[in-house]
Amino acid sequence: MKTPADLPALKSELVSRHGEAQRARIERGVDQVAALWREEDGDLAAFAREHFIADEKQLDATLARLETAFEQLDGHMYEITRELRRPTDLDLGPLLPVDPLLAAYDPSAHVTEDLFRAKAGFVALLNFPLTMLAERMEKGPSYTRRQWAEVRLTGRFSRRVPAEVRQASTRAGADADLYIAEYNVWMHHLVDEQGRRPFPSGMRLISHWNLRDELKSRYADPEGVAKQRMIVKVMERIVAQEIPAAVIDNPRVDWNPFTNEVKAAPASEVEADAPQRPVVLEGKREEDVRYAKLLAQFHAARMEDPYVPVAPTAIARSFELGRELPEARVKALLEQVLTSPLVPRVAKEIESRLGRKLEPQDLWYAGFKASGKLSEADLDALTRQRYPTAEAFAKDMPRILQGLGFSNEKAAFLSAHIRVDPSRGAGHAMQAMRRGDFPRLRTRVGPKGMDYKGYNIAVHELGHNVEQVFSLYEVDHTLLAGVPNNAFTEALAFVFQARDLELLGQAKPDAASERERVLNDFWQTWEIAGVALVDIAVWHWLYDHPDATPAQLREAVVRIARETWDRYYAPVLGGQGTPLLGIYSHMISYPLYLTDYPLGHLIAFQIEEHLKKAGNLGAEFERMASQGALTPDVWMTNATGAPVSAEPLLRATEASLAR
């Protein structure tokens, strides 16, 4: 085809050959191909004449063949990527200079373009419908499983992004991820005005995950408030990029985060296993590395913008293509929680328990969970004894899964399909994308074993992995493997994580614990909803200021974080002007991901409410996860009887406060 004017003639020719009954398919298919066809692809008309399929049996066979082929292609490419990232993802010892370079290489970057050039992508577009989000939202509830498979097949060919653009995005992401994975604070080397060291020797915490979890663990500590205030100050220094460069992952210097003073650590206080680091005392702040990494992610995303006309920004792709939920609807859900009149009522409940006015650290109040009343040291001792290695956790998975309600047979099946590795970073789950491969559970395991923070993360990641096994191995079409979006796998992981203490034999559910669970879910959703709004607002600012420098971006992030805090949090927690909401590491290594957490909490709560009625967690978890990658409201309605909503959480919180 030389000009679009040839399209009507081609459509008429094909209708004449294949019959009037095929008109709608022909017109749609030709338009879908023409939208992405390039001059170097050759003769469009000749391609359409040869590859339009009218015979139903051949159409079925073609769908099945493409499904099988893409499962193998995607699965093996993902395995290669995982192996290339192995040294940077896992705690296997010091990195070699070549390791970050391998981690930044994406062997699948060229696959989609290669499939277009090989014409297989165009076969899919010519013969199966490519839908927009509005169409899926309107018609999705009535789709058959076959129709959903067709939608997911063509969805992978909805854009034609050059391999070099995809590679740039992978490179920027891997670089940011490694920066975050190695961003540790040696807590014993935090000192106050009197030179006291509030934290034990050897405690090495990654930002932000471990810092946050350490803060949460201190509600049962008589000296906890002072320690929490110190952690908050560390976080604020990191966000504002005021942290001295010399103290990052360095146990050979001491740092007072309140004054920002740096001193050489006495030899008697330096850990025996301390890595070799220079002792720099000038206290020069870290350059704007944090924001340079984020800026690189933005620049890589902008390279993709021209190739995705249906979603021409990273923000649009995040919501329209990734979550399949409009940005406006998601923000409305978040603001519904943030502005709820229940917030000050729950805050009053917390104040009565703490016996003091709330402060910024109480954004992460943990007293609604049993762990908030137990000693962190006791929990650490328990998990370290039980899980001295990652292998020990893997061996205990059948018992854990049985404790969650899975049958002995199903627990054995799941355990056989999940691999456990020690993580270099805080922890994560990696899916498998073909049957025959296995999801990976990664969590941090220290020299003394897995502490409670690592265990808590491991149980969360196990939830991801179990979902990943079911949504791959038990889905009827592998084109539907997965869940609607990241918020759903987070929600299912939260279901596991909420039972971590119960699995340790430390808590049993009853009416009182159910009330605590509801209030905890509300507070956690309120906390992360504001963080998500900051993440979104930062990306809108980036698109409004595409030529920004790292310093300008830093100033913008700090301003946005402060404004969001002052609007939603300062009236409850004080701390006017704190940039604390900017601390989440996802902003740097996984841009625009943070919204999936509050959505995940809302979805998890709806799932929990359903589980209370349905009973067996194991069977219901399996039924839900086996649906595959439908749109959010269709998946949710099938799973729980209602679309995604904040109302169940708000109603339950109201009822809990009335008790």
Side-chain angles (χ1 to χ4, degrees), residues 4-31:
D6 296 319
L7 297 182
L10 174 60
K11 294 173 184 176
S12 297
E13 177 187 339
L14 292 174
V15 170
S16 177
R17 177 185 298 181
H18 298 290
E20 189 63 31
Q22 299 292 336
R23 177 179 292 277
R25 287 188 61 237
I26 288 168
E27 291 185 345
R28 185 168 190 163
V30 169
D31 286 339

Side-chain angles (χ1 to χ4, degrees), residues 188-209:
H188 185 59
H189 298 277
L190 299 181
V191 296
D192 62 16
E193 297 279 6
Q194 288 72 43
R196 292 174 298 199
R197 301 175 185 273
F199 299 97
S201 179
M203 180 179 281
R204 177 174 172 261
L205 301 183
I206 193 170
S207 174
H208 76 284
W209 294 275

